[in-house]
Amino acid sequence: MNRQQIEHFFATLKAANPRPETELQFCSLFELLAAVLLSAQATDLSVNKASRRLFALAPTPARMLALGLCGIEQEIRTIGLFRTKARHLLQTCAILVEQHQGRVPRSREALEALPGVGRKTANVVLNVAFGEPTMAVDTHIFRVANRTGLAPGKTVLAVEQALLKRIPPAYRVDAHHWLILHGRYVCQARQPRCAVCAVSACCDFQPKPPAR
Ligand code: SF4
């Protein structure tokens, strides 16, 4: 995809959805961090279902600590890897209370020091909470970037860096959401919906001919 095509790609996605948002539900920075931590290898839908109950009981790190490991596990048991996630969430809450006055830190370094928070989660928090032009490459973004020719790369980090380099500055803050939503609903893993895709004119993908 050349520069002109990339401009067209994002202008088209922006025209269709000027203010793209995460589909995770949250009412505070802490709930955002917790929801993203819970969402690893799980659908946003499954996280929202469980987090509604969890956040009603424990909307702050201190209240989450009071709920305790068993209490958290009980509320999130419908989410994959719930035992590990409950442990990480509890450890993260302890650090937030002890080292950050119960607040979510704004620096990448401090975020990535929290248990269960890797580069991707930090990127989401920095982008959604603080409006930074980060690129949290998940399975959808990785696929769309490679398949379309937007920012091909063999690793998640390579794709992240290529996207940040190739996406025009005007689109960088929202690009992460446009790409996730595009991958989730149009450029789907098994069968991209090219016939109804608004950006097909600037996409490099060559569909395979049907098997005989
Ligand atoms: S044309 Fe097909 S492969 Fe290209 S972005 Fe659209 S859905 Fe994906």
Side-chain angles (χ1 to χ4, degrees), residues 25-35 38 50-73 75-76 86 89-90 93 96-97 102:
Q25 293 169 354
F26 59 94
C27 296
S28 66
L29 293 194
F30 168 65
E31 289 186 4
L32 168 67
L33 173 67
L38 295 176
S51 68
R52 229 170 280 148
R53 294 187 308 264
L54 179 69
F55 296 158
L57 288 170
T60 65
R63 297 268 295 274
M64 198 65 78
L65 283 175
L67 185 61
L69 188 61
C70 292
I72 297 173
E73 282 182 357
E75 298 307 326
I76 66 165
L89 181 55
L90 200 66
C93 288
L96 292 181
V97 168

Side-chain angles (χ1 to χ4, degrees), residues 155-200:
T155 66
V156 165
L157 188 60
V159 167
E160 178 186 324
Q161 288 166 342
L163 284 168
L164 289 174
K165 206 163 137 195
R166 304 199 79 202
I167 296 172
Y171 301 112
R172 266 182 217 157
V173 172
D174 288 323
H176 150 240
H177 287 126
W178 282 315
L179 291 171
I180 287 185
L181 294 171
H182 190 65
R184 192 174 282 168
Y185 297 110
V186 182
C187 194
Q188 295 170 331
R190 287 201 185 162
Q191 194 65 54
R193 301 171 64 210
C194 303
V196 296
C197 176
V199 291
S200 58

